[in-house]
Amino acid sequence: MRVIDVDKTRDNLNELIRDNCKIAPLARKMGISPKAIYKWFEGKSLPSLDRLVELSGILGCSLNELIIVKEI
């Protein structure tokens, strides 16, 4: 069974976002609070599927590049 590797996905999102944009402008662009993005960074939550699709467009990458999966 394949599942999202939450820790690796969190680390991946942190790196991609920090390398490509600033938190406050990204949050405004996505219509969310910066706190939501910091929750992603802290591993308290992951973006919804809709937010991941939106984020992939903003960052210019695919969903496969955002989400890390593992076999269990």
Side-chain angles (χ1 to χ4, degrees):
M1 173 189 291
R2 294 172 51 108
V3 297
I4 294 174
D5 186 320
V6 175
D7 292 331
K8 288 183 180 178
T9 297
R10 177 201 64 221
D11 294 343
N12 193 43
L13 287 172
N14 288 350
E15 183 178 330
L16 288 168
I17 291 171
R18 290 182 193 268
D19 287 351
N20 292 291
C21 53
K22 296 187 185 265
I23 303 303
L26 175 62
R28 280 193 301 276
K29 189 171 194 171
M30 295 182 76
I32 59 176
S33 74
K35 282 186 176 185
I37 296 173
Y38 286 115
K39 284 183 180 180
W40 304 343
F41 286 1
E42 295 165 356
K44 293 181 179 176
S45 68
L46 287 177
S48 67
L49 184 55
D50 289 340
R51 293 286 182 208
L52 286 168
V53 170
E54 182 179 10
L55 193 55
S56 71
I58 292 169
L59 297 175
C61 61
S62 71
L63 285 176
N64 287 338
E65 293 172 281
L66 290 179
I67 301 168
I68 307 299
V69 297
K70 66 181 177 180
E71 295 285 337
I72 59 167

PDB file of all heavy atoms in Angstrom, residues 27-67:
ATOM      1  N   ALA A  27       1.004  33.252   0.956  1.00  0.00           N
ATOM      2  CA  ALA A  27      -0.259  33.121   1.690  1.00  0.00           C
ATOM      3  C   ALA A  27      -1.332  34.025   1.081  1.00  0.00           C
ATOM      4  O   ALA A  27      -2.474  33.594   0.897  1.00  0.00           O
ATOM      5  CB  ALA A  27      -0.043  33.455   3.164  1.00  0.00           C
ATOM      6  N   ARG A  28      -0.959  35.261   0.769  1.00  0.00           N
ATOM      7  CA  ARG A  28      -1.928  36.184   0.140  1.00  0.00           C
ATOM      8  C   ARG A  28      -2.398  35.648  -1.206  1.00  0.00           C
ATOM      9  O   ARG A  28      -3.590  35.672  -1.511  1.00  0.00           O
ATOM     10  CB  ARG A  28      -1.315  37.576  -0.028  1.00  0.00           C
ATOM     11  CG  ARG A  28      -1.323  38.409   1.229  1.00  0.00           C
ATOM     12  CD  ARG A  28      -1.000  39.864   0.950  1.00  0.00           C
ATOM     13  NE  ARG A  28       0.307  40.070   0.332  1.00  0.00           N
ATOM     14  CZ  ARG A  28       1.455  40.153   0.991  1.00  0.00           C
ATOM     15  NH1 ARG A  28       1.479  40.038   2.308  1.00  0.00           N
ATOM     16  NH2 ARG A  28       2.586  40.359   0.346  1.00  0.00           N
ATOM     17  N   LYS A  29      -1.461  35.155  -1.981  1.00  0.00           N
ATOM     18  CA  LYS A  29      -1.797  34.627  -3.303  1.00  0.00           C
ATOM     19  C   LYS A  29      -2.754  33.440  -3.210  1.00  0.00           C
ATOM     20  O   LYS A  29      -3.645  33.279  -4.029  1.00  0.00           O
ATOM     21  CB  LYS A  29      -0.517  34.213  -4.038  1.00  0.00           C
ATOM     22  CG  LYS A  29      -0.706  33.864  -5.482  1.00  0.00           C
ATOM     23  CD  LYS A  29       0.644  33.689  -6.154  1.00  0.00           C
ATOM     24  CE  LYS A  29       0.474  33.687  -7.645  1.00  0.00           C
ATOM     25  NZ  LYS A  29       1.741  33.742  -8.352  1.00  0.00           N
ATOM     26  N   MET A  30      -2.580  32.630  -2.160  1.00  0.00           N
ATOM     27  CA  MET A  30      -3.415  31.440  -1.986  1.00  0.00           C
ATOM     28  C   MET A  30      -4.676  31.732  -1.182  1.00  0.00           C
ATOM     29  O   MET A  30      -5.533  30.867  -1.052  1.00  0.00           O
ATOM     30  CB  MET A  30      -2.601  30.330  -1.313  1.00  0.00           C
ATOM     31  CG  MET A  30      -1.448  29.831  -2.161  1.00  0.00           C
ATOM     32  SD  MET A  30      -0.531  28.491  -1.374  1.00  0.00           S
ATOM     33  CE  MET A  30      -1.672  27.125  -1.644  1.00  0.00           C
ATOM     34  N   GLY A  31      -4.773  32.941  -0.627  1.00  0.00           N
ATOM     35  CA  GLY A  31      -5.947  33.303   0.154  1.00  0.00           C
ATOM     36  C   GLY A  31      -6.020  32.614   1.505  1.00  0.00           C
ATOM     37  O   GLY A  31      -7.110  32.300   1.999  1.00  0.00           O
ATOM     38  N   ILE A  32      -4.860  32.352   2.084  1.00  0.00           N
ATOM     39  CA  ILE A  32      -4.790  31.711   3.392  1.00  0.00           C
ATOM     40  C   ILE A  32      -3.904  32.549   4.303  1.00  0.00           C
ATOM     41  O   ILE A  32      -3.214  33.461   3.855  1.00  0.00           O
ATOM     42  CB  ILE A  32      -4.249  30.263   3.299  1.00  0.00           C
ATOM     43  CG1 ILE A  32      -2.840  30.241   2.682  1.00  0.00           C
ATOM     44  CG2 ILE A  32      -5.198  29.390   2.505  1.00  0.00           C
ATOM     45  CD1 ILE A  32      -2.195  28.864   2.648  1.00  0.00           C
ATOM     46  N   SER A  33      -3.883  32.207   5.578  1.00  0.00           N
ATOM     47  CA  SER A  33      -3.024  32.941   6.503  1.00  0.00           C
ATOM     48  C   SER A  33      -1.616  32.343   6.478  1.00  0.00           C
ATOM     49  O   SER A  33      -1.448  31.144   6.201  1.00  0.00           O
ATOM     50  CB  SER A  33      -3.583  32.869   7.923  1.00  0.00           C
ATOM     51  OG  SER A  33      -3.368  31.596   8.469  1.00  0.00           O
ATOM     52  N   PRO A  34      -0.611  33.159   6.760  1.00  0.00           N
ATOM     53  CA  PRO A  34       0.747  32.614   6.873  1.00  0.00           C
ATOM     54  C   PRO A  34       0.830  31.496   7.915  1.00  0.00           C
ATOM     55  O   PRO A  34       1.619  30.569   7.760  1.00  0.00           O
ATOM     56  CB  PRO A  34       1.590  33.820   7.292  1.00  0.00           C
ATOM     57  CG  PRO A  34       0.841  35.003   6.759  1.00  0.00           C
ATOM     58  CD  PRO A  34      -0.616  34.625   6.891  1.00  0.00           C
ATOM     59  N   LYS A  35      -0.025  31.563   8.958  1.00  0.00           N
ATOM     60  CA  LYS A  35      -0.023  30.509   9.983  1.00  0.00           C
ATOM     61  C   LYS A  35      -0.296  29.138   9.380  1.00  0.00           C
ATOM     62  O   LYS A  35       0.252  28.138   9.830  1.00  0.00           O
ATOM     63  CB  LYS A  35      -1.061  30.809  11.056  1.00  0.00           C
ATOM     64  CG  LYS A  35      -0.643  31.846  12.038  1.00  0.00           C
ATOM     65  CD  LYS A  35      -1.675  31.965  13.138  1.00  0.00           C
ATOM     66  CE  LYS A  35      -1.210  32.949  14.188  1.00  0.00           C
ATOM     67  NZ  LYS A  35      -2.111  33.010  15.322  1.00  0.00           N
ATOM     68  N   ALA A  36      -1.145  29.092   8.372  1.00  0.00           N
ATOM     69  CA  ALA A  36      -1.449  27.809   7.719  1.00  0.00           C
ATOM     70  C   ALA A  36      -0.184  27.220   7.093  1.00  0.00           C
ATOM     71  O   ALA A  36       0.071  26.012   7.216  1.00  0.00           O
ATOM     72  CB  ALA A  36      -2.529  27.985   6.667  1.00  0.00           C
ATOM     73  N   ILE A  37       0.598  28.070   6.450  1.00  0.00           N
ATOM     74  CA  ILE A  37       1.837  27.597   5.824  1.00  0.00           C
ATOM     75  C   ILE A  37       2.826  27.162   6.891  1.00  0.00           C
ATOM     76  O   ILE A  37       3.493  26.138   6.754  1.00  0.00           O
ATOM     77  CB  ILE A  37       2.427  28.673   4.903  1.00  0.00           C
ATOM     78  CG1 ILE A  37       1.453  28.926   3.746  1.00  0.00           C
ATOM     79  CG2 ILE A  37       3.800  28.244   4.372  1.00  0.00           C
ATOM     80  CD1 ILE A  37       1.807  30.074   2.845  1.00  0.00           C
ATOM     81  N   TYR A  38       2.917  27.908   7.987  1.00  0.00           N
ATOM     82  CA  TYR A  38       3.814  27.505   9.069  1.00  0.00           C
ATOM     83  C   TYR A  38       3.390  26.182   9.690  1.00  0.00           C
ATOM     84  O   TYR A  38       4.241  25.397  10.120  1.00  0.00           O
ATOM     85  CB  TYR A  38       3.926  28.610  10.123  1.00  0.00           C
ATOM     86  CG  TYR A  38       4.765  29.774   9.634  1.00  0.00           C
ATOM     87  CD1 TYR A  38       4.195  31.023   9.436  1.00  0.00           C
ATOM     88  CD2 TYR A  38       6.117  29.616   9.345  1.00  0.00           C
ATOM     89  CE1 TYR A  38       4.962  32.085   8.971  1.00  0.00           C
ATOM     90  CE2 TYR A  38       6.885  30.674   8.878  1.00  0.00           C
ATOM     91  CZ  TYR A  38       6.298  31.907   8.695  1.00  0.00           C
ATOM     92  OH  TYR A  38       7.059  32.936   8.231  1.00  0.00           O
ATOM     93  N   LYS A  39       2.095  25.890   9.699  1.00  0.00           N
ATOM     94  CA  LYS A  39       1.628  24.584  10.181  1.00  0.00           C
ATOM     95  C   LYS A  39       2.143  23.468   9.280  1.00  0.00           C
ATOM     96  O   LYS A  39       2.477  22.379   9.743  1.00  0.00           O
ATOM     97  CB  LYS A  39       0.106  24.540  10.267  1.00  0.00           C
ATOM     98  CG  LYS A  39      -0.449  25.274  11.460  1.00  0.00           C
ATOM     99  CD  LYS A  39      -1.956  25.129  11.522  1.00  0.00           C
ATOM    100  CE  LYS A  39      -2.516  25.857  12.719  1.00  0.00           C
ATOM    101  NZ  LYS A  39      -3.972  25.726  12.810  1.00  0.00           N
ATOM    102  N   TRP A  40       2.198  23.746   7.979  1.00  0.00           N
ATOM    103  CA  TRP A  40       2.764  22.755   7.060  1.00  0.00           C
ATOM    104  C   TRP A  40       4.227  22.536   7.409  1.00  0.00           C
ATOM    105  O   TRP A  40       4.705  21.406   7.443  1.00  0.00           O
ATOM    106  CB  TRP A  40       2.667  23.206   5.614  1.00  0.00           C
ATOM    107  CG  TRP A  40       1.309  23.541   5.106  1.00  0.00           C
ATOM    108  CD1 TRP A  40       0.099  23.209   5.664  1.00  0.00           C
ATOM    109  CD2 TRP A  40       1.003  24.294   3.941  1.00  0.00           C
ATOM    110  NE1 TRP A  40      -0.931  23.704   4.901  1.00  0.00           N
ATOM    111  CE2 TRP A  40      -0.409  24.379   3.846  1.00  0.00           C
ATOM    112  CE3 TRP A  40       1.761  24.917   2.968  1.00  0.00           C
ATOM    113  CZ2 TRP A  40      -1.042  25.049   2.803  1.00  0.00           C
ATOM    114  CZ3 TRP A  40       1.134  25.582   1.928  1.00  0.00           C
ATOM    115  CH2 TRP A  40      -0.262  25.638   1.847  1.00  0.00           C
ATOM    116  N   PHE A  41       4.955  23.631   7.636  1.00  0.00           N
ATOM    117  CA  PHE A  41       6.384  23.542   7.942  1.00  0.00           C
ATOM    118  C   PHE A  41       6.642  22.776   9.237  1.00  0.00           C
ATOM    119  O   PHE A  41       7.646  22.090   9.361  1.00  0.00           O
ATOM    120  CB  PHE A  41       6.988  24.939   8.071  1.00  0.00           C
ATOM    121  CG  PHE A  41       7.185  25.674   6.762  1.00  0.00           C
ATOM    122  CD1 PHE A  41       6.837  25.131   5.549  1.00  0.00           C
ATOM    123  CD2 PHE A  41       7.723  26.934   6.777  1.00  0.00           C
ATOM    124  CE1 PHE A  41       7.021  25.812   4.364  1.00  0.00           C
ATOM    125  CE2 PHE A  41       7.916  27.638   5.591  1.00  0.00           C
ATOM    126  CZ  PHE A  41       7.573  27.074   4.390  1.00  0.00           C
ATOM    127  N   GLU A  42       5.744  22.922  10.203  1.00  0.00           N
ATOM    128  CA  GLU A  42       5.909  22.272  11.501  1.00  0.00           C
ATOM    129  C   GLU A  42       5.394  20.840  11.502  1.00  0.00           C
ATOM    130  O   GLU A  42       5.555  20.128  12.494  1.00  0.00           O
ATOM    131  CB  GLU A  42       5.172  23.085  12.571  1.00  0.00           C
ATOM    132  CG  GLU A  42       5.755  24.463  12.775  1.00  0.00           C
ATOM    133  CD  GLU A  42       4.835  25.389  13.559  1.00  0.00           C
ATOM    134  OE1 GLU A  42       3.695  24.973  13.890  1.00  0.00           O
ATOM    135  OE2 GLU A  42       5.243  26.532  13.817  1.00  0.00           O
ATOM    136  N   GLY A  43       4.767  20.421  10.423  1.00  0.00           N
ATOM    137  CA  GLY A  43       4.224  19.075  10.356  1.00  0.00           C
ATOM    138  C   GLY A  43       2.917  18.909  11.107  1.00  0.00           C
ATOM    139  O   GLY A  43       2.473  17.794  11.349  1.00  0.00           O
ATOM    140  N   LYS A  44       2.282  20.016  11.477  1.00  0.00           N
ATOM    141  CA  LYS A  44       0.992  19.944  12.174  1.00  0.00           C
ATOM    142  C   LYS A  44      -0.145  19.632  11.222  1.00  0.00           C
ATOM    143  O   LYS A  44      -1.185  19.146  11.630  1.00  0.00           O
ATOM    144  CB  LYS A  44       0.719  21.250  12.916  1.00  0.00           C
ATOM    145  CG  LYS A  44       1.668  21.482  14.060  1.00  0.00           C
ATOM    146  CD  LYS A  44       1.359  22.761  14.788  1.00  0.00           C
ATOM    147  CE  LYS A  44       2.314  22.954  15.947  1.00  0.00           C
ATOM    148  NZ  LYS A  44       2.106  24.224  16.633  1.00  0.00           N
ATOM    149  N   SER A  45       0.061  19.941   9.945  1.00  0.00           N
ATOM    150  CA  SER A  45      -0.925  19.629   8.916  1.00  0.00           C
ATOM    151  C   SER A  45      -0.230  19.625   7.573  1.00  0.00           C
ATOM    152  O   SER A  45       0.892  20.107   7.440  1.00  0.00           O
ATOM    153  CB  SER A  45      -2.071  20.650   8.920  1.00  0.00           C
ATOM    154  OG  SER A  45      -1.605  21.915   8.501  1.00  0.00           O
ATOM    155  N   LEU A  46      -0.894  19.071   6.597  1.00  0.00           N
ATOM    156  CA  LEU A  46      -0.447  19.144   5.204  1.00  0.00           C
ATOM    157  C   LEU A  46      -1.513  19.886   4.417  1.00  0.00           C
ATOM    158  O   LEU A  46      -2.685  19.897   4.805  1.00  0.00           O
ATOM    159  CB  LEU A  46      -0.259  17.747   4.612  1.00  0.00           C
ATOM    160  CG  LEU A  46       0.952  16.962   5.078  1.00  0.00           C
ATOM    161  CD1 LEU A  46       0.936  15.568   4.456  1.00  0.00           C
ATOM    162  CD2 LEU A  46       2.249  17.672   4.741  1.00  0.00           C
ATOM    163  N   PRO A  47      -1.137  20.497   3.310  1.00  0.00           N
ATOM    164  CA  PRO A  47      -2.138  21.173   2.488  1.00  0.00           C
ATOM    165  C   PRO A  47      -3.173  20.180   1.966  1.00  0.00           C
ATOM    166  O   PRO A  47      -2.868  19.009   1.735  1.00  0.00           O
ATOM    167  CB  PRO A  47      -1.324  21.751   1.321  1.00  0.00           C
ATOM    168  CG  PRO A  47       0.094  21.681   1.734  1.00  0.00           C
ATOM    169  CD  PRO A  47       0.212  20.599   2.751  1.00  0.00           C
ATOM    170  N   SER A  48      -4.394  20.670   1.768  1.00  0.00           N
ATOM    171  CA  SER A  48      -5.424  19.842   1.139  1.00  0.00           C
ATOM    172  C   SER A  48      -5.012  19.562  -0.305  1.00  0.00           C
ATOM    173  O   SER A  48      -4.105  20.214  -0.845  1.00  0.00           O
ATOM    174  CB  SER A  48      -6.767  20.574   1.161  1.00  0.00           C
ATOM    175  OG  SER A  48      -6.704  21.709   0.316  1.00  0.00           O
ATOM    176  N   LEU A  49      -5.687  18.633  -0.927  1.00  0.00           N
ATOM    177  CA  LEU A  49      -5.386  18.314  -2.320  1.00  0.00           C
ATOM    178  C   LEU A  49      -5.555  19.539  -3.209  1.00  0.00           C
ATOM    179  O   LEU A  49      -4.710  19.817  -4.073  1.00  0.00           O
ATOM    180  CB  LEU A  49      -6.255  17.162  -2.808  1.00  0.00           C
ATOM    181  CG  LEU A  49      -5.985  16.670  -4.223  1.00  0.00           C
ATOM    182  CD1 LEU A  49      -4.516  16.289  -4.406  1.00  0.00           C
ATOM    183  CD2 LEU A  49      -6.874  15.506  -4.551  1.00  0.00           C
ATOM    184  N   ASP A  50      -6.615  20.312  -2.990  1.00  0.00           N
ATOM    185  CA  ASP A  50      -6.819  21.532  -3.775  1.00  0.00           C
ATOM    186  C   ASP A  50      -5.660  22.502  -3.594  1.00  0.00           C
ATOM    187  O   ASP A  50      -5.195  23.112  -4.559  1.00  0.00           O
ATOM    188  CB  ASP A  50      -8.120  22.236  -3.376  1.00  0.00           C
ATOM    189  CG  ASP A  50      -9.353  21.489  -3.833  1.00  0.00           C
ATOM    190  OD1 ASP A  50      -9.244  20.654  -4.753  1.00  0.00           O
ATOM    191  OD2 ASP A  50     -10.431  21.758  -3.279  1.00  0.00           O
ATOM    192  N   ARG A  51      -5.188  22.653  -2.357  1.00  0.00           N
ATOM    193  CA  ARG A  51      -4.057  23.556  -2.080  1.00  0.00           C
ATOM    194  C   ARG A  51      -2.773  23.022  -2.707  1.00  0.00           C
ATOM    195  O   ARG A  51      -1.951  23.790  -3.189  1.00  0.00           O
ATOM    196  CB  ARG A  51      -3.865  23.742  -0.576  1.00  0.00           C
ATOM    197  CG  ARG A  51      -4.983  24.475   0.086  1.00  0.00           C
ATOM    198  CD  ARG A  51      -4.925  25.935  -0.249  1.00  0.00           C
ATOM    199  NE  ARG A  51      -6.011  26.619   0.452  1.00  0.00           N
ATOM    200  CZ  ARG A  51      -6.575  27.705   0.008  1.00  0.00           C
ATOM    201  NH1 ARG A  51      -6.165  28.260  -1.103  1.00  0.00           N
ATOM    202  NH2 ARG A  51      -7.554  28.268   0.670  1.00  0.00           N
ATOM    203  N   LEU A  52      -2.588  21.706  -2.695  1.00  0.00           N
ATOM    204  CA  LEU A  52      -1.403  21.125  -3.331  1.00  0.00           C
ATOM    205  C   LEU A  52      -1.398  21.388  -4.827  1.00  0.00           C
ATOM    206  O   LEU A  52      -0.364  21.710  -5.407  1.00  0.00           O
ATOM    207  CB  LEU A  52      -1.318  19.622  -3.043  1.00  0.00           C
ATOM    208  CG  LEU A  52      -0.894  19.239  -1.633  1.00  0.00           C
ATOM    209  CD1 LEU A  52      -1.139  17.752  -1.390  1.00  0.00           C
ATOM    210  CD2 LEU A  52       0.565  19.592  -1.394  1.00  0.00           C
ATOM    211  N   VAL A  53      -2.567  21.256  -5.458  1.00  0.00           N
ATOM    212  CA  VAL A  53      -2.662  21.537  -6.901  1.00  0.00           C
ATOM    213  C   VAL A  53      -2.332  23.004  -7.157  1.00  0.00           C
ATOM    214  O   VAL A  53      -1.557  23.334  -8.062  1.00  0.00           O
ATOM    215  CB  VAL A  53      -4.070  21.176  -7.434  1.00  0.00           C
ATOM    216  CG1 VAL A  53      -4.267  21.688  -8.843  1.00  0.00           C
ATOM    217  CG2 VAL A  53      -4.293  19.667  -7.376  1.00  0.00           C
ATOM    218  N   GLU A  54      -2.900  23.893  -6.344  1.00  0.00           N
ATOM    219  CA  GLU A  54      -2.632  25.325  -6.484  1.00  0.00           C
ATOM    220  C   GLU A  54      -1.146  25.616  -6.252  1.00  0.00           C
ATOM    221  O   GLU A  54      -0.522  26.350  -7.011  1.00  0.00           O
ATOM    222  CB  GLU A  54      -3.486  26.091  -5.474  1.00  0.00           C
ATOM    223  CG  GLU A  54      -3.340  27.588  -5.560  1.00  0.00           C
ATOM    224  CD  GLU A  54      -4.235  28.311  -4.557  1.00  0.00           C
ATOM    225  OE1 GLU A  54      -4.838  27.668  -3.668  1.00  0.00           O
ATOM    226  OE2 GLU A  54      -4.321  29.537  -4.675  1.00  0.00           O
ATOM    227  N   LEU A  55      -0.574  25.015  -5.223  1.00  0.00           N
ATOM    228  CA  LEU A  55       0.830  25.220  -4.901  1.00  0.00           C
ATOM    229  C   LEU A  55       1.738  24.709  -6.004  1.00  0.00           C
ATOM    230  O   LEU A  55       2.736  25.351  -6.341  1.00  0.00           O
ATOM    231  CB  LEU A  55       1.138  24.517  -3.577  1.00  0.00           C
ATOM    232  CG  LEU A  55       2.433  24.822  -2.888  1.00  0.00           C
ATOM    233  CD1 LEU A  55       2.616  26.315  -2.653  1.00  0.00           C
ATOM    234  CD2 LEU A  55       2.507  24.067  -1.566  1.00  0.00           C
ATOM    235  N   SER A  56       1.397  23.593  -6.604  1.00  0.00           N
ATOM    236  CA  SER A  56       2.229  23.073  -7.698  1.00  0.00           C
ATOM    237  C   SER A  56       2.244  24.048  -8.869  1.00  0.00           C
ATOM    238  O   SER A  56       3.282  24.234  -9.508  1.00  0.00           O
ATOM    239  CB  SER A  56       1.753  21.682  -8.138  1.00  0.00           C
ATOM    240  OG  SER A  56       0.527  21.740  -8.826  1.00  0.00           O
ATOM    241  N   GLY A  57       1.111  24.691  -9.143  1.00  0.00           N
ATOM    242  CA  GLY A  57       1.079  25.698 -10.199  1.00  0.00           C
ATOM    243  C   GLY A  57       1.918  26.908  -9.867  1.00  0.00           C
ATOM    244  O   GLY A  57       2.645  27.433 -10.714  1.00  0.00           O
ATOM    245  N   ILE A  58       1.846  27.359  -8.628  1.00  0.00           N
ATOM    246  CA  ILE A  58       2.617  28.529  -8.197  1.00  0.00           C
ATOM    247  C   ILE A  58       4.112  28.234  -8.247  1.00  0.00           C
ATOM    248  O   ILE A  58       4.909  29.067  -8.697  1.00  0.00           O
ATOM    249  CB  ILE A  58       2.202  28.961  -6.771  1.00  0.00           C
ATOM    250  CG1 ILE A  58       0.777  29.517  -6.792  1.00  0.00           C
ATOM    251  CG2 ILE A  58       3.174  29.981  -6.197  1.00  0.00           C
ATOM    252  CD1 ILE A  58       0.168  29.721  -5.423  1.00  0.00           C
ATOM    253  N   LEU A  59       4.496  27.039  -7.808  1.00  0.00           N
ATOM    254  CA  LEU A  59       5.915  26.678  -7.760  1.00  0.00           C
ATOM    255  C   LEU A  59       6.434  26.136  -9.092  1.00  0.00           C
ATOM    256  O   LEU A  59       7.641  25.947  -9.251  1.00  0.00           O
ATOM    257  CB  LEU A  59       6.153  25.645  -6.656  1.00  0.00           C
ATOM    258  CG  LEU A  59       5.846  26.108  -5.234  1.00  0.00           C
ATOM    259  CD1 LEU A  59       5.999  24.948  -4.259  1.00  0.00           C
ATOM    260  CD2 LEU A  59       6.741  27.270  -4.836  1.00  0.00           C
ATOM    261  N   GLY A  60       5.530  25.878 -10.029  1.00  0.00           N
ATOM    262  CA  GLY A  60       5.947  25.369 -11.337  1.00  0.00           C
ATOM    263  C   GLY A  60       6.464  23.939 -11.284  1.00  0.00           C
ATOM    264  O   GLY A  60       7.433  23.600 -11.962  1.00  0.00           O
ATOM    265  N   CYS A  61       5.814  23.114 -10.472  1.00  0.00           N
ATOM    266  CA  CYS A  61       6.230  21.722 -10.383  1.00  0.00           C
ATOM    267  C   CYS A  61       4.987  20.832 -10.402  1.00  0.00           C
ATOM    268  O   CYS A  61       3.863  21.324 -10.348  1.00  0.00           O
ATOM    269  CB  CYS A  61       7.053  21.481  -9.122  1.00  0.00           C
ATOM    270  SG  CYS A  61       6.186  21.803  -7.588  1.00  0.00           S
ATOM    271  N   SER A  62       5.203  19.540 -10.466  1.00  0.00           N
ATOM    272  CA  SER A  62       4.079  18.594 -10.480  1.00  0.00           C
ATOM    273  C   SER A  62       3.712  18.181  -9.061  1.00  0.00           C
ATOM    274  O   SER A  62       4.486  18.385  -8.122  1.00  0.00           O
ATOM    275  CB  SER A  62       4.452  17.355 -11.293  1.00  0.00           C
ATOM    276  OG  SER A  62       5.409  16.591 -10.590  1.00  0.00           O
ATOM    277  N   LEU A  63       2.546  17.587  -8.920  1.00  0.00           N
ATOM    278  CA  LEU A  63       2.156  17.043  -7.616  1.00  0.00           C
ATOM    279  C   LEU A  63       3.145  15.976  -7.161  1.00  0.00           C
ATOM    280  O   LEU A  63       3.440  15.864  -5.972  1.00  0.00           O
ATOM    281  CB  LEU A  63       0.752  16.451  -7.677  1.00  0.00           C
ATOM    282  CG  LEU A  63      -0.401  17.435  -7.698  1.00  0.00           C
ATOM    283  CD1 LEU A  63      -1.724  16.703  -7.869  1.00  0.00           C
ATOM    284  CD2 LEU A  63      -0.417  18.273  -6.452  1.00  0.00           C
ATOM    285  N   ASN A  64       3.653  15.209  -8.109  1.00  0.00           N
ATOM    286  CA  ASN A  64       4.632  14.172  -7.763  1.00  0.00           C
ATOM    287  C   ASN A  64       5.901  14.762  -7.181  1.00  0.00           C
ATOM    288  O   ASN A  64       6.598  14.091  -6.421  1.00  0.00           O
ATOM    289  CB  ASN A  64       4.969  13.311  -8.985  1.00  0.00           C
ATOM    290  CG  ASN A  64       3.854  12.384  -9.355  1.00  0.00           C
ATOM    291  OD1 ASN A  64       3.000  12.053  -8.536  1.00  0.00           O
ATOM    292  ND2 ASN A  64       3.826  11.958 -10.604  1.00  0.00           N
ATOM    293  N   GLU A  65       6.204  15.988  -7.552  1.00  0.00           N
ATOM    294  CA  GLU A  65       7.384  16.639  -6.984  1.00  0.00           C
ATOM    295  C   GLU A  65       7.112  17.202  -5.593  1.00  0.00           C
ATOM    296  O   GLU A  65       8.048  17.428  -4.824  1.00  0.00           O
ATOM    297  CB  GLU A  65       7.865  17.763  -7.906  1.00  0.00           C
ATOM    298  CG  GLU A  65       8.406  17.255  -9.224  1.00  0.00           C
ATOM    299  CD  GLU A  65       8.707  18.363 -10.198  1.00  0.00           C
ATOM    300  OE1 GLU A  65       7.752  18.864 -10.831  1.00  0.00           O
ATOM    301  OE2 GLU A  65       9.889  18.729 -10.309  1.00  0.00           O
ATOM    302  N   LEU A  66       5.862  17.415  -5.262  1.00  0.00           N
ATOM    303  CA  LEU A  66       5.495  17.950  -3.934  1.00  0.00           C
ATOM    304  C   LEU A  66       5.305  16.846  -2.905  1.00  0.00           C
ATOM    305  O   LEU A  66       5.733  16.975  -1.768  1.00  0.00           O
ATOM    306  CB  LEU A  66       4.184  18.753  -4.019  1.00  0.00           C
ATOM    307  CG  LEU A  66       4.200  20.075  -4.754  1.00  0.00           C
ATOM    308  CD1 LEU A  66       2.808  20.691  -4.732  1.00  0.00           C
ATOM    309  CD2 LEU A  66       5.201  21.028  -4.124  1.00  0.00           C
ATOM    310  N   ILE A  67       4.654  15.768  -3.301  1.00  0.00           N
ATOM    311  CA  ILE A  67       4.259  14.726  -2.372  1.00  0.00           C
ATOM    312  C   ILE A  67       5.254  13.568  -2.443  1.00  0.00           C
ATOM    313  O   ILE A  67       5.565  13.070  -3.521  1.00  0.00           O
ATOM    314  CB  ILE A  67       2.846  14.200  -2.716  1.00  0.00           C
ATOM    315  CG1 ILE A  67       1.833  15.339  -2.667  1.00  0.00           C
ATOM    316  CG2 ILE A  67       2.444  13.078  -1.776  1.00  0.00           C
ATOM    317  CD1 ILE A  67       0.498  14.973  -3.260  1.00  0.00           C
TER     318      ILE A  67
END
